[in-house]
Amino acid sequence: MDALRDELLGKLDNKIAFTIPVFGGIPVPESVVVTWGIMLFLVLLSIICTRRLKKVPGKAQLVAEMFVGFINKFTKNTLGEHWKPFAAYFGTIGLYIGCANLIGMFGITPPTKDLNVTAALAIMSAALIYGASFRYHGFKGGLHKFVEPMPLLAPINVMEVVIRPLSLCMRLFGNVLGSFIIMELIKLAMPAIVPMALSMYFDVFDGIIQTIVFVFLTALFTQEALE
Amino acid sequence: MSIAIGAAIAVLTGIGAGIGIGLATAKATDAIARQPEAADKIQRSLLIGCALAEATAIYGLVIGIMIILFVK
């Protein structure tokens, strides 16, 4: 029982993959290395899909066009007028979080299991939301948005600057961590075929849902900041 | 011993999520039955609502894990 618990606790930590021998050793965690792998995969995918673009698209170009069209339509429906700069961000974030969550299916620890990765994603989304608010309304307009519905709600609006990214971060982290723990326990208890069926729910379904929720919530908050 | 009790109380937040999502799904199926053409929009709203409600249960899970791991 103790060996089981120690093994599980060992898997929950963020392991250091290697150390760059510069400036007294910079430790590189495992999630960063897996992120590099995902970046390489997505860049290669993009290069393959956009090689030799033709007017009548071939199969790879058709998939890429469908995806871009879907993201553009979603951004236009949610944001309204100033949708163009944001579509690329939502598509990239969706692709990265989707790949990061689904990579657990192949036995690699998902990078979103690391709290630092989800915190970085949440900070990026927060910078986007409040940056959009100040960019499209000016400095005074941005400050005015904090008293927008009623001046009585100003403390809540100020608190939401911290609470919204925090909830985005913890939602993604908690879901991925919970799925990971349950899958590890199942793999320890029942070897061979059964983990595959349950992995369909925990890894695939949950991962895709969390991707959709993260992107949709960021789009929703941005729409609130832009109006 | 108190760590186990603390973690168990933390995970009780699952009750709220279960009840909330159950009620939401009931209303969503009612709405779809009443107006099948709007099924797509209703499904989308249901998905977002369920993910948001699930988040509070996940907060409880994360606190439970942190209590087990970090409390001496």
Side-chain angles (χ1 to χ4, degrees), chain A residues 118-140:
Chain A
T118 47
L121 289 167
I123 291 178
M124 275 163 41
S125 288
L128 183 83
I129 294 169
Y130 292 103
S133 162
F134 281 108
R135 154 90 173 76
Y136 284 102
H137 296 290
F139 187 65
K140 289 179 63 92

Side-chain angles (χ1 to χ4, degrees), chain A residues 112 118 169-179, chain B residues 58-59 61-62:
Chain A
T112 29
T118 47
C169 159
M170 295 309 285
R171 182 180 299 117
L172 186 58
F173 171 67
N175 270 295
V176 176
L177 189 70
S179 300
Chain B
I58 298 290
Y59 298 160
L61 173 75
V62 171

Side-chain angles (χ1 to χ4, degrees), chain A residues 9 12 77 166-168 170-171 173-175 177-178 181 201 205 209-210 212-213 216-217, chain B residues 44-45 47-56 58-59 61-63 65-66 68-70:
Chain A
L9 282 180
L12 283 180
N77 281 343
L166 188 68
S167 89
L168 281 175
M170 295 309 285
R171 182 180 299 117
F173 171 67
N175 270 295
L177 189 70
I181 290 180
Y201 172 71
F205 183 70
I209 296 270
Q210 286 312 307
I212 296 178
V213 167
F216 184 80
L217 276 181
Chain B
R44 223 175 299 164
S45 305
L47 206 63
I48 303 295
C50 285
L52 282 171
E54 190 109 26
T56 45
I58 298 290
Y59 298 160
L61 173 75
V62 171
I63 296 289
I65 291 181
M66 284 168 72
I68 293 183
L69 288 182
F70 296 133

Side-chain angles (χ1 to χ4, degrees), chain A residues 8-26:
Chain A
L8 200 59
L9 282 180
K11 292 216 174 110
L12 283 180
D13 282 328
N14 308 321
K15 285 195 287 258
I16 304 292
F18 61 93
T19 310
I20 305 180
V22 177
F23 295 137
I26 307 176

